[in-house]
Amino acid sequence: MSMSETQNVAEIKARNKELINEVLQVYPEKTAKRRAKHLNVHEAGKSDCGVKSNLKSIPGVMTIRGCAYAGSKGVVWGPIKDMIHISHGPVGCGQYSWAARRNYYIGTTGIDTFVTMQFTSDFQEKDIVFGGDKKLAKIIDEIQDLFPLNNGISIQSECPIGLIGDDIEAVSKVKSKEYEGKTIVPVRCEGFRGVSQSLGHHIANDAIRDWVFDKAQGKDAPAGFEATPYDVAIIGDYNIGGDAWSSRILLEEMGLRVIAQWSGDGTLAELEATPKAKLNVLHCYRSMNYISRHMEEKYGIPWCEYNFFGPSKIAESLRKIASYFDDKIKEGAERVIAKYQALVDDVIAKYRPRLEGKTVMLFVGGLRPRHVIGAYEDLGMEVVGTGYEFGHNDDYQRTAQHYVKDGTLIYDDVTGYEFEKFVEKVQPDLVGSGIKEKYVFQKMGVPFRQMHSWDYSGPYHGYDGFAIFARDMDMAINAPVWKMAETPWKAKPKPHLMAAE
Amino acid sequence: MTQSADNVLDHFELFRGPEYQNMLAAKRELFENRRDPAEVERVREWAKTAEYQEKNFAREALTINPAKACQPLGAVFAAVGFEGTLPFVHGSQGCVAYYRSHFSRHFKEPTSCVSSSMTEDAAVFGGLNNMIDGLANTYSMYKPKMIAVSTTCMAEVIGDDLNAFIKTAKEKGSVPEAFDVPFAHTPAFVGSHVTGYDNALKGILEHFWDGKAGTAPKVERQPNGKINFIGGFDGYTVGNIREIKRIFDLMGVEYTILGDNSDVWDTPTDGEFRMYDGGTTLEEAAAAVHAKATLSMQEYCTEKTLPFIAGHGHETVAFNHPVGVAGTDRFLMEVARLTGKEIPDALARERGRLVDAIADSSSHIHGKKFALYGDPDLCLGLAGFLLELGAEPTHVLATNGSKGWAAKMQELFDSSPFGKNCKAYPGRDLWHMRSLLFTEPVDYLIGNTYGKYLERDTGTPLIRIGFPIFDRHHHHRYPVWGYQGGMNVLVRILDKIFDTFDANTNIPSKSDYSFDIIR
């Protein structure tokens, strides 16, 4: 039930404002004041969404956020496939994040590839009391012994490491020397640092800068690497369900050469080669703008944000990327757009009639709260509420300036309570969020898709991905099950908040 | 281009077409700096050898693919088994996101839990303010009947004192004085999730029985004829607890389930999200002190709780996750002995049906070798069942198993001729298991979802029993306890055996004999 059909924008805005006031009533005064700054109704023409962001989550409210370790090990480092990533500390963090993110890769797992394995120092009380540096040194030895084909090691710090004063940098240096300059990267991504995953991304980016780039400095490009004028690196694509692959194929088809993937299906060699790129193309701005800016400053590599969700944004992005290159590439972009037009037309012809006018509420992580809006609009759907788990103000600026419509409900670091109430009152046709939210809304009878993991589907990036995206949204919304949620003998008229019903 | 609107290909098929295959081959060739395939093959073969196993078992510091999680996960499990209870984990917030995701991936259900969201400043000054604000917010927003507090390793390392913090929070008005806030310290660097379950459950009982942290008089025990039942950390809790209730009701036993998760992790889809559902009521939890006896289904989940309960004058009995005929017999006979109730004929008939099923099918299981891993009690229960099926539980591994557990396993092996060549591996992980499966192969592997990597690498068919099960749906709804639970386990094992027979005999004009219709 689209609001736009029954209400004008002024009514929607008034309703959303009232809704915000209503949810704030539940909080103690101090908390209400803090949460009020994170909730807003978007005003067209404003340069941002009018919410505060990247601030500490409030204790006890059921934030959806994770931690810096999740941002570093779970997002940035974990997918680098030929390195071994040690979850350094107690067993849990590595256990809960073990193979949970579907960063697809090709390789012989356990021999030359290690993404879906859980390496942990499994800290015991004595490690907390006496420190874990000796244990870490021994772990590195044991890794070298048992996994001789690993190309590098990263140490992903869990909370205790920073609290007990371990010197993982010193251990890394000593061991790197001992193993002939092996890349060993200490990462200070303890979970208590910062306010969310976001600082973990930043710390992980900095660790690549300091322990991969700076280490390679002065060396020639990796063996066998010959630069071409068309070299680009894909930055900020984690290859969830193969996203980076369905993106890479388009860049290659337009005549570019993708020399690195950061970090889905990526390798250490690809990281090391990236300073040779002519352009960095950046998908997840939030998690990898830091390293892109660094490469711009240090190596003079320009970077360009793009969006490969949905044909409108894909075409726009292909042309934008091509604008950094010569006519050959510009023609290549047009050729690619033309090649896939028939597929796009077929997908839209098939799915748009089933999805036209349906409304969506989103709450996701780094780029998706804005990036997927275009894909929904290509299918005739409307995003009526969105928010970031760990966005910063620059994310909300991009959202306001390029994506959301007037009157959209905006909720930053939404709490469980708020999200549930918003959905209950707005009654969207679809909610897109994460595993912790999925079953809450499905119980309420609201169709749902996980928009972190693509609900175990995907890829969603690129033209091939758009077909899957469209199919999945259709199967979520139009599944017969949602007509059965209500027990027939208990059926009562649905309480719609919408005044114009 | 292979994609089309008529036949949408997703990751299962999309990347198998020539366009993607060529692209990926070129990526590998030009940019990945991969190792020489011959070298990869050499190391892959080497990693199957006894020599590699020796190195692997000589590991002292590194843990690879462990089959255990950390304490607070167990604390959350225990807490949500009480009516209207919201688990509150004091420490870093990312941990709570992980526990909630972990349970939701297993049960396909929402899991509500809050964090005190401690960050750098709390690391320096302590998390008292986080506790004060956190309890106040949780109380106002989610209207729980009880908030059960546990800790992440961060709060433990800096030494936050839950008892004092909760007291102060109450003084500051975060929650009413009389509001129930039991707590347990659950350091992630001690024990595993089963330890956390134990600590949290003990914390809750201590709260209700021993004067609510000095704010109420201790309960005077007035023994009655009831018994308490503790399930322990159990991935099948939904099916199991319901089965136990059914059995108790059949026997006419008066009982209290301490920690009943069977409803909160199995709520209907009917338009309403139930944040809380079912659970042991707080009155029942308090009154449970009066019971004459307490049964724990999992000894290693209640190593502190049971002695605590015994200290209150209960007779206590611990089982090791009994599965199958003899295990269920012992359980029922203990219940009968403790309560003076007779085991009704209906249960004797269920027993007979399980024996009947075993008689029908055991020829397909007899003499087969199994590798098995999981929590210590589950390993004991399943190994016991395998022995009574005439199978050999050749390798039994518990990452969170102690030497005492291994001794107990050995006792079990020694009790049966089928246990002769079987061995327990305490404190080992799934990379150790990988070596074992190569050097001393078995016919089948029993374990959780992560066993699929072992199945892939070693070719040992995996029977999914354990926690977590992420990649199969709804198993948790089916009990593995009681005779009917034993039937479910038997069928699950047999299905895999028959599927394996079929998969190995299905190539026409090559291996199509033995592809039998009747088995």
Side-chain angles (χ1 to χ4, degrees):
Chain A
M1 184 59 54
S2 170
M3 292 185 303
S4 58
E5 287 166 13
T6 53
Q7 293 179 300
N8 63 38
V9 174
E11 281 172 330
I12 291 169
K13 284 183 181 173
R15 191 273 320 258
N16 284 350
K17 280 180 183 153
E18 195 188 308
L19 193 45
I20 290 171
N21 285 331
E22 205 182 311
V23 300
L24 289 172
Q25 301 302 315
V26 80
Y27 293 109
E29 202 185 328
K30 188 168 96 177
T31 307
K33 252 186 199 165
R34 284 174 68 183
R35 282 305 304 159
K37 296 173 186 158
H38 297 264
L39 307 172
N40 199 20
V41 181
H42 178 61
E43 290 286 340
K46 290 277 169 71
S47 65
D48 63 26
C49 299
V51 292
K52 295 272 185 201
S53 57
N54 196 32
L55 296 176
K56 273 198 267 188
S57 300
I58 302 170
V61 299
M62 213 176 314
T63 174
I64 290 165
R65 284 173 167 176
C67 65
Y69 164 90
S72 177
K73 186 267 185 180
V75 175
V76 174
W77 278 104
I80 301 292
K81 63 182 177 179
D82 58 345
M83 291 177 69
I84 285 175
H85 311 289
I86 304 166
S87 291
H88 191 38
V91 69
C93 317
Q95 203 69 5
Y96 309 125
S97 57
W98 179 9
R101 222 165 164 260
R102 289 175 66 243
N103 308 108
Y104 283 178
Y105 63 89
I106 310 278
T108 308
T109 304
I111 307 300
D112 69 344
T113 312
F114 310 95
V115 179
T116 50
M117 294 175 68
Q118 146 54 339
F119 292 84
T120 173
S121 46
D122 188 13
F123 261 34
Q124 301 299 303
E125 199 148 23
K126 63 178 190 300
D127 302 313
I128 300 287
V129 176
F130 299 111
D133 285 342
K134 278 188 189 153
K135 187 174 201 180
L136 178 60
K138 193 164 212 176
I139 283 171
I140 293 171
D141 292 340
E142 290 176 354
I143 285 174
Q144 287 300 98
D145 215 18
L146 288 167
F147 305 96
L149 301 187
N150 84 79
N151 281 337
I153 294 169
S154 83
I155 297 143
Q156 305 290 327
S157 300
E158 300 170 4
C159 288
I161 303 307
L163 299 171
I164 62 176
D166 273 11
D167 192 351
I168 59 171
E169 290 79 8
V171 176
S172 302
K173 280 180 190 157
V174 168
K175 284 291 157 187
S176 174
K177 215 174 209 175
E178 191 181 325
Y179 293 108
E180 291 147 7
K182 184 180 191 67
T183 298
I184 301 180
V185 184
V187 190
R188 286 287 180 178
C189 55
E190 288 90 343
F192 63 82
R193 293 192 197 277
V195 304
S196 67
Q197 291 92 316
S198 184
L199 188 63
H201 306 140
H202 197 156
I203 290 167
N205 278 221
D206 289 354
I208 299 175
R209 179 193 66 199
D210 296 343
W211 297 83
V212 177
F213 284 175
D214 288 1
K215 180 171 172 287
Q217 202 175 27
K219 279 195 211 161
D220 290 333
F225 184 88
E226 284 171 41
T228 79
Y230 302 117
D231 290 354
V232 300
I234 293 177
I235 311 283
D237 190 323
Y238 302 102
N239 208 32
I240 311 281
D243 280 338
W245 294 335
S246 57
S247 302
R248 181 186 188 104
I249 202 163
L250 300 180
L251 297 174
E252 289 188 351
E253 281 177 355
M254 72 192 269
L256 298 171
R257 197 173 81 131
V258 180
I259 65 167
Q261 283 178 206
W262 290 53
S263 56
D265 193 38
T267 56
L268 179 63
E270 290 170 67
L271 297 185
E272 289 172 346
T274 306
K276 309 286 175 198
K278 299 297 182 292
L279 177 72
N280 281 327
V281 298
L282 177 57
H283 207 242
C284 181
Y285 170 85
R286 181 70 276 130
S287 59
M288 284 198 174
N289 76 86
Y290 318 100
I291 201 70
S292 306
R293 290 175 198 280
H294 171 72
M295 284 191 266
E296 182 177 41
E297 283 163 25
K298 181 142 186 192
Y299 308 106
I301 306 170
W303 52 279
C304 150
E305 287 175 64
Y306 70 108
N307 178 349
F308 270 5
F309 289 104
S312 301
K313 289 292 173 188
I314 296 172
E316 194 184 308
S317 296
L318 289 172
R319 290 184 176 121
K320 186 174 165 193
I321 291 167
S323 73
Y324 287 80
F325 295 93
D326 58 16
D327 285 351
K328 184 188 141 200
I329 301 297
K330 288 181 184 127
E331 284 156 22
E334 296 308 322
R335 196 175 56 242
V336 171
I337 293 164
K339 174 185 166 184
Y340 287 96
Q341 194 57 50
L343 171 66
V344 168
D345 292 345
D346 287 352
V347 168
I348 289 177
K350 180 172 177 182
Y351 292 106
R352 187 164 177 141
R354 305 185 198 182
L355 297 170
E356 186 83 48
K358 302 287 186 189
T359 57
V360 187
M361 289 176 77
L362 299 169
F363 186 75
V364 215
L367 74 162
R368 292 159 181 171
R370 64 174 177 275
H371 262 49
V372 297
I373 291 175
Y376 283 114
E377 288 174 351
D378 287 334
L379 293 167
M381 300 168 73
E382 189 188 355
V383 173
V384 297
T386 193
Y388 291 83
E389 199 174 312
F390 46 79
H392 298 205
N393 197 43
D394 48 9
D395 292 302
Y396 285 102
Q397 285 169 352
R398 285 164 167 75
T399 309
Q401 292 164 16
H402 305 290
Y403 289 98
V404 287
K405 287 186 173 163
D406 201 21
T408 303
L409 187 57
I410 306 289
Y411 30 84
D412 177 70
D413 183 20
V414 79
T415 67
Y417 177 88
E418 288 164 0
F419 202 11
E420 193 192 320
K421 289 294 162 202
F422 287 157
V423 169
E424 187 184 307
K425 295 295 168 65
V426 173
Q427 299 189 353
D429 298 295
L430 179 73
V431 174
S433 192
I435 182 68
K436 305 190 290 301
E437 295 71 59
K438 178 181 174 77
Y439 302 106
V440 170
F441 295 117
Q442 291 191 175
K443 301 285 178 191
M444 289 165 66
V446 182
F448 187 97
R449 285 298 293 188
Q450 289 185 66
M451 294 303 282
H452 299 261
S453 67
W454 306 149
D455 239 308
Y456 322 121
S457 175
Y460 281 178
H461 292 177
Y463 290 110
D464 285 343
F466 177 64
I468 304 164
F469 174 85
R471 178 200 68 179
D472 289 356
M473 297 311 137
D474 174 47
M475 76 163 88
I477 291 177
N478 295 313
V481 66
W482 304 118
K483 294 198 177 76
M484 299 187 284
E486 198 165 38
T487 314
W489 59 91
K490 290 183 177 178
K492 53 185 177 215
K494 261 201 163 172
H496 265 270
L497 194 87
M498 284 158 237
E501 280 281 278
Chain B
M1 182 168 50
T2 45
Q3 190 65 291
S4 81
D6 290 335
N7 181 24
V8 175
L9 305 180
D10 59 21
H11 59 86
F12 286 105
E13 293 170 276
L14 180 66
F15 304 124
R16 300 189 182 195
E19 288 165 322
Y20 280 99
Q21 286 296 308
N22 293 338
M23 180 188 87
L24 292 170
K27 175 180 185 291
R28 182 194 161 89
E29 185 61 31
L30 290 169
F31 306 112
E32 292 188 354
N33 189 28
R34 296 324 295 275
R35 303 286 181 154
D36 175 4
E39 180 67 355
V40 172
E41 198 45 37
R42 186 191 67 76
V43 174
R44 202 166 76 93
E45 288 303 319
W46 170 66
K48 297 175 182 176
T49 61
E51 181 201 335
Y52 187 89
Q53 177 172 322
E54 198 177 317
K55 276 175 181 288
N56 191 9
F57 273 74
R59 266 190 283 140
E60 290 175 351
L62 173 63
T63 299
I64 309 161
N65 298 352
K68 68 169 181 181
C70 67
Q71 278 213 45
L73 184 81
V76 171
F77 186 104
V80 300
F82 289 84
E83 180 199 19
T85 298
L86 196 52
F88 180 110
V89 189
H90 182 55
S92 302
Q93 72 192 12
C95 314
V96 167
Y98 279 143
Y99 315 141
R100 296 179 66 206
S101 301
H102 207 66
F103 284 129
S104 286
R105 287 174 178 141
H106 175 83
F107 291 110
K108 316 296 178 198
E109 290 285 322
T111 302
S112 298
C113 177
V114 295
S115 162
S116 67
S117 294
M118 285 164 66
T119 57
E120 286 104 328
D121 53 343
V124 177
F125 301 111
L128 176 60
N129 288 331
N130 299 68
M131 180 70 76
I132 293 169
D133 292 348
L135 288 179
N137 287 324
T138 302
Y139 181 76
S140 335
M141 293 172 72
Y142 298 112
K143 318 252 177 315
K145 290 197 167 143
M146 174 161 93
I147 299 175
V149 179
S150 57
T151 48
T152 77
C153 55
M154 180 207 182
E156 287 299 320
V157 171
I158 65 173
D160 279 3
D161 179 348
L162 292 182
N163 190 18
F165 281 18
I166 292 164
K167 245 181 208 146
T168 309
K170 284 190 169 180
E171 281 160 20
K172 301 246 177 197
S174 298
V175 297
E177 270 301 324
F179 186 78
D180 292 308
V181 188
F183 63 90
H185 288 274
T186 50
F189 44 82
V190 175
S192 72
H193 56 288
V194 303
T195 323
Y197 175 95
D198 192 13
N199 283 331
L201 184 60
K202 175 167 168 279
I204 290 167
L205 297 180
E206 217 166 8
H207 172 83
F208 285 110
W209 297 0
D210 284 357
K212 305 193 171 184
T215 64
K218 286 193 180 189
V219 181
E220 187 79 26
R221 180 166 178 260
Q222 289 160 331
N224 58 28
K226 291 176 87 170
I227 59 166
N228 299 323
F229 176 90
I230 300 170
F233 190 107
D234 171 23
Y236 299 91
T237 185
V238 170
N240 274 343
I241 296 281
R242 288 181 184 159
E243 181 65 8
I244 293 298
K245 287 179 184 172
R246 189 186 67 86
I247 289 171
F248 283 169
D249 289 341
L250 273 175
M251 291 180 72
V253 169
E254 285 189 88
Y255 62 91
T256 303
I257 307 281
L258 292 175
D260 178 357
N261 315 61
S262 61
D263 284 339
V264 74
W265 274 323
D266 193 20
T267 61
T269 285
D270 61 357
E272 182 192 347
F273 162 52
R274 294 161 178 83
M275 188 164 174
Y276 313 104
D277 202 16
T280 311
T281 67
L282 307 191
E283 295 72 25
E284 284 169 337
V289 72
H290 305 304
K292 69 180 295 197
T294 297
L295 299 176
S296 164
M297 212 58 159
Q298 299 196 67
E299 180 187 1
Y300 294 100
C301 290
T302 49
E303 286 182 296
K304 288 183 196 143
T305 302
L306 268 203
F308 165 81
I309 292 173
H312 282 73
H314 292 213
E315 181 172 357
T316 60
V317 183
F319 300 91
N320 297 108
H321 202 294
V323 177
V325 179
T328 307
D329 290 349
R330 273 195 301 276
F331 171 69
L332 291 183
M333 288 190 290
E334 275 298 295
V335 173
R337 179 182 70 78
L338 288 166
T339 59
K341 303 282 182 185
E342 270 182 38
I343 302 171
D345 204 40
L347 287 173
R349 288 184 72 92
E350 285 179 21
R351 183 185 189 279
R353 289 181 197 124
L354 177 59
V355 174
D356 179 69
I358 292 170
D360 295 346
S361 311
S362 74
S363 60
H364 293 291
I365 307 177
H366 191 103
K368 294 280 191 296
K369 289 181 192 305
F370 285 74
L372 163 65
Y373 70 86
D375 284 341
D377 292 293
L378 179 68
C379 284
L380 279 158
L382 281 175
F385 189 40
L386 289 173
L387 290 171
E388 67 187 23
L389 296 171
E392 297 175 19
T394 308
H395 314 303
V396 183
L397 182 151
T399 307
N400 50 354
S402 60
K403 280 184 185 151
W405 166 80
K408 201 156 195 169
M409 282 300 318
Q410 191 56 50
E411 249 174 67
L412 178 67
F413 296 147
D414 293 343
S415 72
S416 161
F418 297 94
K420 200 175 155 205
N421 298 311
C422 302
K423 194 174 166 193
Y425 295 89
R428 299 295 186 173
D429 56 43
L430 301 188
W431 201 253
H432 293 117
M433 181 64 99
R434 188 177 189 269
S435 279
L436 291 172
L437 294 176
F438 279 126
T439 59
E440 298 167 67
V442 296
D443 298 299
Y444 298 96
L445 170 67
I446 297 182
N448 63 13
T449 279
Y450 288 99
K452 76 193 288 177
Y453 295 133
L454 293 170
E455 180 178 43
R456 178 183 65 188
D457 289 359
T458 70
T460 319
L462 171 67
I463 297 159
R464 283 171 178 75
I465 302 175
F467 176 90
I469 303 292
F470 289 155
D471 66 338
R472 295 294 184 271
H473 292 195
H474 309 308
H475 288 195
H476 64 275
R477 298 173 196 276
Y478 297 88
V480 299
W481 291 341
Y483 299 117
Q484 295 199 354
M487 189 77 83
N488 289 331
V489 174
L490 177 69
V491 171
R492 186 144 291 148
I493 293 171
L494 285 168
D495 278 351
K496 178 59 81 172
I497 290 175
F498 293 136
D499 282 348
T500 306
F501 287 171
D502 288 345
N504 291 337
T505 55
N506 64 3
I507 304 171
S509 83
K510 189 173 172 213
S511 65
D512 45 355
Y513 52 87
S514 309
F515 190 67
D516 292 333
I517 284 301
I518 306 161
R519 297 206 193 272

